[in-house]
Coordinates of all heavy atoms in Angstrom, one line a residue:
A4 N 2.2 3.8 2.2 CA 1.3 3.7 3.4 C 0.8 2.3 3.5 O 0.3 1.7 2.6 CB 0.2 4.7 3.3
T8 N -7.0 2.6 8.2 CA -7.3 4.0 8.4 C -7.6 4.4 9.8 O -7.8 5.5 10.1 CB -8.4 4.3 7.5 OG1 -9.6 3.5 7.8 CG2 -8.1 4.2 6.0
D123 N -2.1 5.0 7.4 CA -3.1 5.8 6.7 C -3.5 7.0 7.5 O -3.7 8.1 7.0 CB -4.3 4.9 6.3 CG -4.0 3.9 5.3 OD1 -2.8 3.7 5.0 OD2 -4.9 3.3 4.8
H124 N -3.8 6.8 8.8 CA -4.3 7.9 9.6 C -3.3 9.0 9.7 O -3.6 10.2 10.0 CB -4.8 7.4 10.9 CG -3.7 7.0 11.9 ND1 -3.3 5.6 12.0 CD2 -2.9 7.6 12.7 CE1 -2.4 5.5 12.9 NE2 -2.1 6.7 13.3
L126 N -1.4 10.0 7.2 CA -1.4 10.7 5.8 C -2.7 11.4 5.6 O -2.6 12.5 4.9 CB -1.2 9.6 4.7 CG 0.2 8.9 4.8 CD1 0.1 7.7 3.9 CD2 1.3 9.8 4.4
V127 N -3.8 10.9 6.0 CA -5.1 11.6 5.8 C -5.1 12.9 6.4 O -4.8 13.1 7.6 CB -6.2 10.7 6.3 CG1 -7.6 11.5 6.2 CG2 -6.3 9.4 5.5
G128 N -5.4 14.0 5.7 CA -5.5 15.3 6.2 C -4.2 16.2 5.8 O -4.2 17.4 6.0
L129 N -3.2 15.5 5.4 CA -2.0 16.3 5.0 C -2.2 17.1 3.8 O -2.9 16.7 2.8 CB -0.8 15.3 4.8 CG -0.3 14.5 6.0 CD1 1.0 13.7 5.5 CD2 0.0 15.4 7.2
V131 N -1.2 18.6 0.3 CA -0.4 18.2 -0.9 C 0.1 19.4 -1.5 O -0.6 20.3 -2.0 CB -1.3 17.3 -1.8 CG1 -0.5 16.9 -3.0 CG2 -1.9 16.1 -1.1
E140 N -5.6 18.1 -0.7 CA -5.4 17.4 0.7 C -5.7 16.0 0.6 O -6.6 15.5 -0.2 CB -6.4 18.1 1.6 CG -6.4 17.5 3.0 CD -7.4 18.2 4.0 OE1 -7.3 19.4 4.1 OE2 -8.2 17.5 4.6
V141 N -4.9 15.1 1.2 CA -5.1 13.7 1.2 C -6.4 13.3 2.0 O -6.5 13.7 3.1 CB -3.9 13.0 1.9 CG1 -4.1 11.4 1.9 CG2 -2.6 13.3 1.1
V142 N -7.3 12.6 1.3 CA -8.5 12.3 2.0 C -8.6 10.8 2.3 O -9.3 10.4 3.2 CB -9.8 12.7 1.1 CG1 -9.9 14.2 1.0 CG2 -9.7 12.0 -0.3
R143 N -7.8 10.0 1.6 CA -7.7 8.6 2.0 C -6.6 7.9 1.2 O -5.9 8.6 0.4 CB -9.0 7.8 1.7 CG -9.3 7.6 0.2 CD -10.6 6.8 0.1 NE -10.8 6.4 -1.3 CZ -11.4 7.2 -2.2 NH1 -11.9 8.4 -1.9 NH2 -11.6 6.8 -3.5
V144 N -6.3 6.7 1.6 CA -5.2 5.9 0.9 C -5.9 4.6 0.4 O -6.5 3.9 1.2 CB -4.0 5.6 1.8 CG1 -2.9 4.8 1.0 CG2 -3.5 6.9 2.4
D145 N -5.8 4.3 -0.9 CA -6.3 3.1 -1.4 C -5.1 2.1 -1.7 O -4.1 2.5 -2.2 CB -7.0 3.3 -2.8 CG -8.4 4.0 -2.6 OD1 -8.8 4.0 -1.4 OD2 -9.0 4.4 -3.6
H146 N -5.3 0.9 -1.2 CA -4.2 -0.1 -1.3 C -4.5 -1.1 -2.4 O -5.6 -1.7 -2.4 CB -4.1 -0.9 0.0 CG -3.7 0.0 1.2 ND1 -2.4 0.5 1.4 CD2 -4.5 0.5 2.2 CE1 -2.4 1.3 2.4 NE2 -3.6 1.3 3.0
F147 N -3.6 -1.3 -3.3 CA -3.7 -2.3 -4.4 C -2.5 -3.1 -4.4 O -1.4 -2.7 -3.9 CB -3.9 -1.6 -5.7 CG -5.2 -0.8 -5.8 CD1 -5.3 0.6 -5.5 CD2 -6.4 -1.4 -6.1 CE1 -6.4 1.3 -5.6 CE2 -7.6 -0.7 -6.1 CZ -7.6 0.6 -5.9
D151 N 0.2 1.6 -4.0 CA -0.8 2.3 -3.2 C -1.1 3.7 -3.9 O -0.3 4.2 -4.6 CB -0.4 2.6 -1.8 CG -0.2 1.3 -1.0 OD1 -0.9 0.3 -1.3 OD2 0.7 1.3 -0.1
L152 N -2.3 4.2 -3.7 CA -2.7 5.5 -4.2 C -3.1 6.4 -3.1 O -3.9 6.1 -2.2 CB -3.9 5.3 -5.2 CG -3.7 4.5 -6.5 CD1 -5.0 4.3 -7.2 CD2 -2.6 5.1 -7.4
L153 N -2.6 7.6 -3.2 CA -3.1 8.7 -2.4 C -4.3 9.3 -3.1 O -4.1 9.7 -4.2 CB -2.0 9.8 -2.1 CG -0.7 9.4 -1.4 CD1 0.2 10.6 -1.2 CD2 -1.1 8.8 0.0
I154 N -5.4 9.4 -2.4 CA -6.6 10.0 -3.0 C -6.6 11.5 -2.5 O -6.7 11.7 -1.3 CB -7.9 9.3 -2.7 CG1 -7.7 7.8 -3.0 CG2 -9.0 9.9 -3.4 CD1 -7.4 7.5 -4.5
V155 N -6.4 12.4 -3.4 CA -6.3 13.8 -3.0 C -7.5 14.6 -3.5 O -7.9 14.5 -4.6 CB -5.0 14.4 -3.7 CG1 -4.8 15.9 -3.4 CG2 -3.8 13.6 -3.2
R156 N -8.1 15.3 -2.5 CA -9.1 16.3 -2.9 C -8.5 17.5 -3.4 O -7.8 18.3 -2.7 CB -10.0 16.5 -1.7 CG -11.0 17.6 -1.8 CD -12.1 17.3 -2.9 NE -13.0 16.2 -2.4 CZ -14.0 15.7 -3.1 NH1 -14.2 16.2 -4.3 NH2 -14.7 14.7 -2.6
E161 N -11.5 14.5 -7.0 CA -10.5 13.7 -6.4 C -9.4 13.2 -7.4 O -9.8 12.8 -8.6 CB -11.1 12.4 -5.7 CG -11.9 12.8 -4.5 CD -12.4 11.6 -3.8 OE1 -12.3 10.4 -4.3 OE2 -12.9 11.7 -2.7
V162 N -8.2 13.3 -7.1 CA -7.1 12.9 -7.9 C -6.4 11.7 -7.3 O -6.1 11.7 -6.1 CB -6.1 14.1 -8.1 CG1 -4.9 13.7 -9.0 CG2 -6.8 15.3 -8.7
M163 N -6.1 10.7 -8.1 CA -5.4 9.5 -7.7 C -3.9 9.7 -7.9 O -3.5 9.7 -9.1 CB -6.0 8.3 -8.4 CG -7.4 8.0 -8.0 SD -8.1 6.5 -8.8 CE -8.0 6.9 -10.5
V164 N -3.2 9.7 -6.9 CA -1.7 10.0 -7.0 C -1.0 8.7 -6.6 O -1.1 8.2 -5.5 CB -1.3 11.1 -6.1 CG1 0.2 11.3 -6.2 CG2 -2.0 12.4 -6.4
F166 N 1.5 6.4 -5.0 CA 2.4 6.6 -3.9 C 3.7 5.9 -4.1 O 4.0 4.9 -3.5 CB 1.7 6.1 -2.6 CG 2.3 6.6 -1.3 CD1 3.2 7.7 -1.3 CD2 1.9 6.1 -0.1 CE1 3.7 8.2 -0.2 CE2 2.4 6.6 1.1 CZ 3.3 7.6 1.0

Side-chain angles (χ1 to χ4, degrees):
T8 56
D123 288 11
H124 67 266
L126 297 165
V127 172
L129 295 184
V131 178
E140 179 179 305
V141 179
V142 294
R143 70 177 187 276
V144 183
D145 285 349
H146 300 284
F147 295 97
D151 295 332
L152 296 175
L153 296 181
I154 308 303
V155 177
R156 171 67 66 180
E161 290 186 348
V162 178
M163 295 183 293
V164 179
F166 197 8

